Amino acid sequence: MNGTALRLAAAALLTLCGFCAGDTRRQKRSARRRTLEEIVGLLIRLRQEIACRRTDLNRLYQTLASAYPPDSPLKQIFLHGSSFQKLLPPDLLEQEQAACFSECFAGLGRTDAKQECARLDYYLQRFGDFLTKARQEERLSLHLDRRLGLAAGALLGLLVM
């Protein structure tokens, strides 16, 4: 192969790598949104169980741990924890979201049902805001990340030429 063909191949490869990097970023944002949706769903379920049934949290933990499908981000955290208070935040969450998650679950089960529901309402609002922001970022990412990755890869490819 001559030098020109190698440079063309390198430019094409860099362009493809840029596209893939942009797509990976988009997929990460989508996964974060899905994780936040599951957390909101979990908080709603917890609130309902505490407000209506006054379910024992240890029994509820076991029930919920077995209810999530294997590919669910929350299934993974349920497998690593032993109670709601010891749940670690999913890796996909941003720092502020992870801190909020830890704070929410660490304090669970320490007050009466009415106060617990008020706490869960507060965290539902916070995670609802996080989810709204994540959906906006995902929508923007859908249009930009692949294109920006492709453009960056193409620029690097041109520099190789």
Side-chain angles (χ1 to χ4, degrees), residues 86-106:
K86 295 180 182 178
L87 284 179
L88 297 175
D91 294 334
L92 292 170
L93 297 182
E94 294 174 347
Q95 186 176 4
E96 181 184 7
Q97 296 165 349
C100 187
F101 182 93
S102 296
E103 182 182 303
C104 173
F105 286 98

Side-chain angles (χ1 to χ4, degrees), residues 58-78:
N58 291 327
R59 193 166 17 122
L60 181 59
Y61 182 87
Q62 298 305 322
T63 302
L64 291 176
S66 62
Y68 284 99
D71 61 340
S72 166
L74 291 187
K75 179 67 168 190
Q76 299 305 313
I77 65 167
F78 272 109

